[in-house]
Amino acid sequence: LPDLIGDIVHTLRRTLGPQISIPIEIQSDMPQVYADPGQLEAAMLNLALNARDAMPKGGTLRIAVCEAGPVVLNPLEDPTQRPYVVLSVSDTGTGMTPETLAKACEPFFTTKGPKGSGLGLSMVHGFARQSGGDMRVLSRLGEGTRVEVWLPVAEQPVEDQIGRAHV
């Protein structure tokens, strides 16, 4: 995961330009997670483009990766405690009102007018859920936004798994 995040951040720096700084904090000795590398890259790109649009004069897009758990993410769906890795993408942008935040993950909901598809956060949420994890969005108007993508730690080493992507 750290190598993949490093590669993606290199692409993000070129895409977002010099007006947005991208500090990275990755906990050492990260376990492997269940995730499709291509979908993870697309999710991070979506989050970065949303952040860029929320910071029209520039700012900071902070990417952090740490281990969490074991925790119960969705007690009504599955009360099992599992270890997770949390990928956090935070910006110093405009933030969202509580009303906007409540709709932010709905497919086709956008505040960007005709230039927005409204699929960015719903796609990231779908990726997290498909990977066996979840997504949390925290935001305050005028204070920025933090999106946390929770991905389950791989239960077996990569070489023991067939047909599952790990990063």
Side-chain angles (χ1 to χ4, degrees), residues 5-164:
I5 298 292
D7 291 345
I8 294 168
V9 168
H10 179 72
T11 301
L12 293 179
R13 284 194 171 112
R14 288 191 324 249
T15 303
L16 302 181
Q19 72 279 9
I20 296 177
S21 66
I22 309 176
I24 305 168
E25 300 169 15
I26 299 180
Q27 179 182 325
S28 62
D29 299 325
M30 292 301 305
Q32 292 181 323
V33 298
Y34 288 122
D36 178 275
Q39 288 184 3
L40 177 61
E41 186 172 347
M44 287 191 64
L45 182 59
N46 272 307
L47 295 175
L49 293 176
N50 282 348
R52 178 201 63 196
D53 292 345
M55 301 184 291
K57 295 181 180 179
T60 302
L61 175 70
R62 182 175 311 282
I63 297 172
V65 182
C66 65
E67 191 171 359
V71 298
V72 176
L73 277 186
N74 298 303
L76 296 177
E77 292 177 25
D78 182 1
T80 308
Q81 287 190 348
R82 290 189 174 84
Y84 292 88
V85 167
V86 181
L87 167 63
S88 175
V89 179
S90 306
D91 67 58
T92 57
T94 56
M96 293 183 251
T97 65
E99 296 79 22
T100 299
L101 183 58
K103 296 179 181 181
C105 294
E106 292 178 9
F108 307 111
F109 175 77
T110 182
T111 59
K112 298 178 184 181
K115 76 174 190 168
S117 69
L119 294 174
L121 285 178
S122 65
M123 189 281 304
V124 175
H125 183 254
F127 157 70
R129 294 300 298 249
Q130 178 183 333
S131 299
D134 210 346
M135 181 181 85
R136 305 284 189 256
V137 182
L138 305 123
S139 186
R140 286 195 182 189
L141 193 60
E143 295 182 21
T145 300
R146 181 174 78 226
V147 178
E148 297 175 350
V149 179
W150 291 65
L151 299 170
V153 170
E155 296 171 3
Q156 298 175 1
V158 172
E159 53 272 5
D160 292 343
Q161 296 285 319
I162 297 174
R164 297 290 299 231

